[in-house]
Structures are given as structure tokens and as C-alpha cells.
Amino acid sequence: MTEPFILVSDCDLPGTVIEDTLRQAGLRADRAASGSPDDIAALSADAEGLVVQWAQITGDVMDRMPNLRIISRVGIGYDMVDVEAATVRGIAVANTPSYCIEEVAAHTIAMIMSQARGLSAYDRAVRAGTWKAVDARPLAVRPSATTVSVLGFGRIGSMVARGCRALGFRVLVADPFAPADAVREAGCEPVEIAEAVARADILTLHVPLTDDTRHLIDAAALATMKPGAVVVNTCRGPLIDEEALAASLRAGHIGAAALDVFAGEPLAADSPLRDLDQVLLTPHAAWYSPEALADLPVHAAENVIRYLAGESVPIVNPSFATAR
Ligand SMILES: NC(=O)c1ccc[n+]([C@@H]2O[C@H](COP(=O)([O-])OP(=O)(O)OC[C@H]3O[C@@H](n4cnc5c(N)ncnc54)[C@H](O)[C@@H]3O)[C@@H](O)[C@H]2O)c1
């Protein structure tokens, strides 16, 4: 009997840890020339597993993989996989939910604190020869007089909310699926999304990217925010209408932003966000630490190995059993 074949559609992490881990478990593994549907299809006829990082895995792509049983996403978000299409085809979709929770929460809180205390602006001013703590900009705030609104009270959002509470901020949480008692137990106030947006001095996003959440923060939502409010996004770029955000920042309504994720990545060389001093930019790096980098490809490969062995893995298809 031939060992099951697992295809890696794409992965920008260094090395071949995914393939090595699969092969060590006795599976066959290979990587597509690129994440394009044709390159995936070229190798996928007998693939029982697919490991994906950024390639778009649509129903059409799945239809070219008649033996596919599991798709394993290298990461937490799985917006590049059409989960509904997978579910109707009986294909499980798994993610790696635990590899970087602390890192993303820490990165988010670092971004919040940097903007709340005006660190980039102070740094630029000192390098330019000024020595002034009291200034119109930066607008360094007192945490207990500042409201942080957290959208999404999942693994990352709840850690960010608790961290902000520990630092003294007032914290509002909007998550229609989180029990209000759990939010209150964390010392935060449960509110609706519109209220969280409107009352925020600092808004931070931690909801999955879906058809419902794409452009959750659009021009209309930005217009309801307080003048001078700060927007932080370490989640997914398309949650925000980036052009509307840039326009609001240019107009001086939104006061500042800190962004790790963007509508298109890498961020375009001519993106208006690059020209705005009040925007802190990082290159989709919130997840990164050497430990997370070591865990991520192993977790993604292990999901396939375990699933094919009938063991439990983190499956994201609603109404799917954990192992089949
Ligand atoms: N920048 C990075 O490096 C990086 C790394 C990992 C994850 N992420 C992003 O972070 C996201 C969140 O990760 P997580 O582990 O906290 O996920 P999670 O599934 O634990 O939490 C998501 C939360 O969002 C809530 N939610 C869903 N729809 C909502 C809505 N419309 N409004 C408000 N809340 C809603 C859910 O109820 C859940 O509590 C991922 O989907 C991914 O896109 C980014």
C-alpha cells in the first residue's frame, strides 16, 4: 500500500519543516511550484491532505483534488479557505490555534501603548533635536482616563482586553458570541459593536475575517469615532476599509493608527499609509517569535498526520466532528 500523499500549496516560512515532519511520519509530501490553482492541481491528483498558507483554496481547487480529506492552514486565520465548500465536500479544515496567542496579544498591547504614550513621535522629536515632554503631539494619555474597545473576545482579544485592564485602561468588549458574564469577569464592559466603536479612544480588532466582517470598520464607522481616536489592527487588513482610514487620518479625524496587517501584503510602495507619521507600521509580524516560528509548521503538519490517523485535531468546519 502506498503512503498517503500530502501537498503543500505554499509557505513563506524558511526551510522545509512541514514536508520533513510529514515524511518523518511516513507520509509522502511535496510542494507546489506556486499557490496558483494550476500549480496546485498539477501535483494534487492523489493528495489526501493539503497544507496551505496564503493560496486561495476555493471549491474549484478542491474539485481538482478528488481524494482530499483534510486542509491544514499554516496559521490561525483561515479566510483563504472556502470552509463551506470544504464542508459540503466532506473535507475537514484545521488551523493552528495556539502557536502565537501571546505574541499577537503582546504586539497589540505594544502598539496600543506606543500610540497611547506617543513613543514614535517622541522618538522622532528627540532625534530631531527637541527635548520636550509637554507637547500638543504626542498626545500621551493616562490609561485610567482612556477607553480601549476590543472587538472580538476570543483567544487573542481576551488576552489583549485583560492586559489593557491590568494597565489601568477602561475596556469595552464587543463580541456577539462571547458570554457577557465572561467579559464582566475580566473587568471589561460588554457592549454592541457600534457602541464600542463610538466610545473608543483606542479601537483594536480581533475578529475573524469573513463576509460579515470585511470592512467592518468602513468610512461610516470611522465617522462615528471620537476625533483623535486611535485604530489598531493586528488581525486582518480587509477588516478595515484602508482607503477610508487613510482619508480619515489625512483629514485629522482619526488621530493615529498602528497596523500590522493590510488589504494587500506586502504593503504597496505607494500606499498613502507610508507617508503618515501618525501611523505605526509592522510587516504582518505580530505572530513572530522564534518559539512561534518553530511551532507553526510542526503544528500544521501534525494536524494532517493526526487527522489521517483518526485522532482529534482543531477542526474549524462548523458541525464537523473533530476527527473522521
Ligand atoms: N497578525 C498576525 O500575525 C496574526 C496572527 C494570528 C492571528 N491573527 C488574526 O487574529 C484573529 C483572531 O484570532 P483568535 O485566535 O483570537 O481567534 P478566536 O477564534 O479565538 O477569536 C475570534 C473571536 O471573534 C469573535 N467574533 C466573530 N465574529 C465577530 C463579530 N462580527 N464581531 C465581534 N466579534 C466577533 C468570536 O466570537 C471569537 O470570540 C485570527 O482570525 C487571525 O485573522 C493575526
Side-chain angles (χ1 to χ4, degrees):
M1 199 179 88
T2 9
E3 327 71 78
F5 174 62
I6 313 304
L7 178 64
V8 180
S9 64
D10 66 303
C11 183
D12 63 17
L13 304 177
T16 53
V17 178
I18 297 171
E19 290 91 328
D20 298 345
T21 308
L22 292 166
R23 288 179 193 131
Q24 276 157 21
L27 304 176
R28 289 179 298 134
D30 206 350
R31 190 175 293 210
S34 84
S36 76
D38 285 344
D39 281 340
I40 295 173
L43 288 183
S44 63
D46 67 337
E48 290 183 45
L50 175 69
V51 181
V52 55
Q53 192 177 27
W54 301 114
Q56 294 295 317
I57 307 302
T58 61
D60 288 346
V61 172
M62 295 171 206
D63 285 339
R64 295 166 84 175
M65 311 183 75
N67 296 308
L68 192 60
R69 295 172 58 200
I70 175 159
I71 298 170
S72 174
R73 206 265 145 166
V74 184
I76 293 178
Y78 44 88
D79 37 278
M80 61 296 297
V81 179
D82 185 338
V83 177
E84 218 177 293
T87 305
V88 298
R89 288 163 178 77
I91 301 165
V93 182
N95 69 346
T96 53
S98 63
Y99 82 101
C100 68
I101 303 301
E102 292 173 52
E103 285 82 351
V104 180
H107 198 92
T108 306
I109 290 172
M111 285 184 139
I112 290 171
M113 292 309 293
S114 177
Q115 295 298 36
R117 296 296 310 160
L119 296 193
S120 302
Y122 276 134
D123 179 69
R124 277 193 302 275
V126 169
R127 289 171 199 279
T130 344
W131 192 262
K132 217 162 140 195
V134 182
D135 205 343
R137 288 195 78 84
L139 298 168
V141 303
R142 171 179 283 187
S144 62
T146 304
T147 298
V148 175
S149 288
V150 180
L151 303 192
F153 196 66
R155 283 171 290 251
I156 296 169
S158 62
M159 192 175 272
V160 169
R162 287 192 176 87
C164 288
R165 277 299 297 142
L167 289 161
F169 289 99
R170 293 190 294 240
V171 179
L172 309 182
V173 167
D175 185 331
F177 310 104
D181 284 350
V183 172
R184 284 193 201 94
E185 272 161 30
C188 308
E189 184 186 344
V191 294
E192 299 293 320
I193 291 177
E195 185 178 349
V197 172
R199 287 174 58 195
D201 294 305
I202 298 171
L203 175 70
T204 182
L205 308 181
H206 303 285
V207 306
L209 174 62
T210 63
D211 290 342
D212 290 339
T213 61
R214 190 174 300 273
H215 285 195
L216 182 64
I217 304 303
D218 57 9
L222 290 166
T224 68
M225 292 186 72
K226 291 183 185 174
V230 176
V231 175
V232 176
N233 190 8
T234 59
C235 197
R236 279 288 183 270
L239 295 172
I240 299 180
D241 179 341
E242 206 168 274
E243 281 181 24
L245 176 62
S248 184
L249 284 157
R250 264 197 310 267
H253 178 62
I254 295 301
L259 306 171
D260 183 54
V261 288
F262 304 91
E265 296 180 8
L267 182 62
D270 61 355
S271 165
L273 295 169
R274 290 182 184 268
D275 300 327
L276 296 167
D277 275 353
Q278 68 275 41
V279 181
L280 183 64
L281 301 169
T282 57
H284 201 140
W287 65 274
Y288 175 71
S289 71
E291 292 87 346
L293 177 61
D295 287 346
L296 175 58
V298 175
H299 289 192
E302 282 177 347
N303 278 343
V304 176
I305 297 163
R306 291 214 177 105
Y307 186 79
L308 295 183
E311 292 169 23
S312 168
V313 298
I315 299 238
V316 301
N317 318 54
S319 78
F320 233 70
T322 49
R324 280 163 61 100

